[in-house]
Amino acid sequence: MSVKGLNEIKDLLSANSYPGRGIIVGKSADGKSAMIAYFIMGRSTNSRNRIFERYEGGMRTKAFDESKLVDPSLIIYNPFLECGNADIVTNGDQTDTVRDYIVKNGDDGYAFEKSLHTREFEPDHPNYTPRISGILNYDYKAQNFNYKLSILKSSDGNPEVCDRYFYSYLPIAGLGHFIHTYECDGNPIPSFYGEPERVKMPNTAKELADIVWTYLNEDNKVSLFVRTVSLADGKTEEIIINKNK
């Protein structure tokens, strides 16, 4: 199936010096793999002082230089967790919220939405950074998957109101969806607006990692995680790139 009207990831990233944190989920161009990318950026010394570290069952952010860590509350968390036949990726500790809800209650098809209705945007006045989240549910017998994305954000900057948006997708080869915390740089930084952006997906983890890392703003990019899952046999390939080495 041909997919028209897709954005190139490189064009969206090169035109935006500060998308903040971003999630890309979709299906490879050859239709063989589910694809995930998650990146973080930073303007402050505290935000830039981070790396991604993989561990069994998940991935964490951690301080690159522990002596320079000022406030860990919104920058140290698990961006990625495995949960049965699901992968969960978010920009904050709501990764644990979704995972814990599923472990305790099971998934009736709406666990993602129900768990995130207990959360709201980050309390970082004046930005009120949105919480963005994604989940992929794999059906290996059918050699397919489905995925959802969400954003929790203040209502036009009003900290008294949290707007919650959820998007559910059946995958199409070569199509991905890209959601990020900020529309662009600013002070305060404006929240992402509208539906997740439709993007063209490549075939491999390396291709996706190369595109995202190359076109993220050089001054502000911090770390990148890319994961592909073969729909035929569940085999995974992962790439982590940390600017701090």
Side-chain angles (χ1 to χ4, degrees), residues 217-234:
N217 180 270
E218 182 64 30
D219 293 332
N220 296 323
K221 65 184 180 183
V222 176
S223 294
L224 170 67
F225 170 70
V226 170
R227 173 177 167 92
T228 60
V229 180
S230 169
L231 300 176
D233 55 22

Side-chain angles (χ1 to χ4, degrees), residues 158-169:
N158 180 356
E160 301 300 319
V161 180
C162 179
D163 294 336
R164 297 177 175 87
Y165 300 88
F166 298 90
Y167 306 91
S168 181
Y169 302 103

Side-chain angles (χ1 to χ4, degrees), residues 88-231:
I88 305 164
V89 57
T90 88
N91 73 326
D93 62 11
Q94 72 268 24
T95 322
D96 297 71
T97 302
V98 176
R99 188 272 313 275
D100 293 348
Y101 185 97
I102 293 173
V103 169
K104 180 179 179 181
N105 302 288
D107 191 351
D108 61 358
Y110 298 97
F112 183 67
E113 293 87 344
K114 290 176 180 177
S115 61
L116 290 173
H117 269 84
T118 69
R119 303 301 305 269
E120 60 179 30
F121 50 85
E122 296 180 354
D124 58 335
H125 171 82
N127 298 315
Y128 303 115
T129 299
R131 292 189 186 272
I132 54 173
S133 308
I135 188 168
L136 297 83
N137 291 288
Y138 301 103
D139 183 348
Y140 293 115
K141 288 184 179 180
Q143 296 189 10
N144 211 344
F145 70 107
N146 62 69
Y147 62 98
K148 298 178 181 182
L149 293 172
S150 171
I151 183 168
L152 316 178
K153 61 181 184 176
S154 64
S155 183
D156 296 321
N158 180 356
E160 301 300 319
V161 180
C162 179
D163 294 336
R164 297 177 175 87
Y165 300 88
F166 298 90
Y167 306 91
S168 181
Y169 302 103
L170 293 177
I172 297 173
L175 170 64
H177 290 89
F178 177 26
I179 193 166
H180 39 97
T181 52
Y182 304 129
E183 190 69 18
C184 57
D185 205 346
N187 191 20
I189 317 174
S191 294
F192 180 87
Y193 179 80
E195 293 185 12
E197 296 160 328
R198 290 160 46 91
V199 294
K200 183 179 179 181
M201 302 299 283
N203 279 321
T204 68
K206 184 179 186 307
E207 289 174 310
L208 182 56
D210 285 347
I211 293 168
V212 175
W213 192 250
T214 298
Y215 289 95
L216 280 171
N217 180 270
E218 182 64 30
D219 293 332
N220 296 323
K221 65 184 180 183
V222 176
S223 294
L224 170 67
F225 170 70
V226 170
R227 173 177 167 92
T228 60
V229 180
S230 169
L231 300 176

Side-chain angles (χ1 to χ4, degrees), residues 49-53 60-64 222-223 242 244:
N49 178 39
R50 287 184 289 174
I51 59 172
F52 283 165
E53 182 180 77
R60 63 172 66 91
T61 63
K62 64 177 295 185
F64 175 66
V222 176
S223 294
N242 291 309
N244 295 308

